[in-house]
Amino acid sequence: RNKIILAQHSCRILSDALPSWAAKAEAEHRTRIGVELRKLLGALLSDQGSRLTRNAAECLCMVAAHLTSEAAHDIAKHLALSLQHVQDCVKAGASLDALAQRCLCRHAWTLGTFLEHIEVDAIAAVLQDKDKSAFKEGELASSANQLFVKLCLRGPPSLRPSIIPCLGFLLRRHCQYLRSSLSGDATALDVFRAGLAG
């Protein structure tokens, strides 16, 4: 438990300090630290049992923004992987055991955190042309919003308290999805109405 707490604090402090540090550091030093952090944070994000998903994702966003644009490739990889995993789970509609629920939650938190902290257009700018189509900001955020709403309203009841924060992460940058639907489809407002109704 102490290791987790130390890692959480390390990610949080780095996320806060990197922007001002990077503004003063030499380019070579920024790049070297960026390479090291990409490796360490990537390992945390890929760890199936990690409880540091959000912390590591936030920190990787700071690395991409302030140390090395190469980290955008890491973010793109994790975005695509997490979006696909959440889509597959929602499409299957099958019951999930405890391990599968934890895995789904980890991918949902990864997806929500990246969409809160990054401009997807900036990520697409460093990708190869063949990879850019999957990272149009409006489409990616819209897909994630629909998936989170479905999971919050129709997913396993035990999982809903862990998924609704992901919807909140996304809405901080994409507040346009906090609205009623003219087509009758469920929206984030329906999630919050259900939550407040108890």
Side-chain angles (χ1 to χ4, degrees), residues 36-79:
E36 184 177 0
L37 288 177
R38 284 180 64 196
K39 181 178 179 180
L40 293 169
L41 295 168
L44 288 176
L45 284 168
S46 299
D47 183 356
Q48 295 287 336
S50 175
R51 294 163 57 187
L52 299 163
T53 297
R54 180 161 169 79
N55 305 88
E58 286 179 329
C59 197
L60 187 59
C61 289
M62 294 300 105
V63 171
H66 300 285
L67 299 187
T68 171
S69 62
E70 288 299 307
H73 292 278
D74 305 330
I75 292 173
K77 179 188 73 173
H78 288 291
L79 267 173

Side-chain angles (χ1 to χ4, degrees), residues 69-70 72-73 121-128 132:
S69 62
E70 288 299 307
H73 292 278
D121 290 342
I123 296 299
V126 303
L127 301 178
Q128 298 295 323
K132 288 184 179 181

Side-chain angles (χ1 to χ4, degrees), residues 72-93:
H73 292 278
D74 305 330
I75 292 173
K77 179 188 73 173
H78 288 291
L79 267 173
L81 180 65
S82 292
L83 178 64
Q84 188 64 57
H85 186 90
V86 176
Q87 283 177 329
D88 290 345
C89 288
V90 171
K91 184 177 180 180

Side-chain angles (χ1 to χ4, degrees), residues 17 27 32 69 76 103 128 141 145 184 195:
R32 185 167 68 251
S69 62
C103 186
Q128 298 295 323
N145 174 67

Side-chain angles (χ1 to χ4, degrees), residues 17 25-26 29 32 34 57 65 76 103 118 141 146 151 165 173 177-178 180 185:
E26 295 181 0
H29 198 186
R32 185 167 68 251
C103 186
I118 63 164
Q146 292 170 8
L151 284 170
R173 181 178 286 272
Y177 297 115
L178 190 62
S180 297
D185 294 334

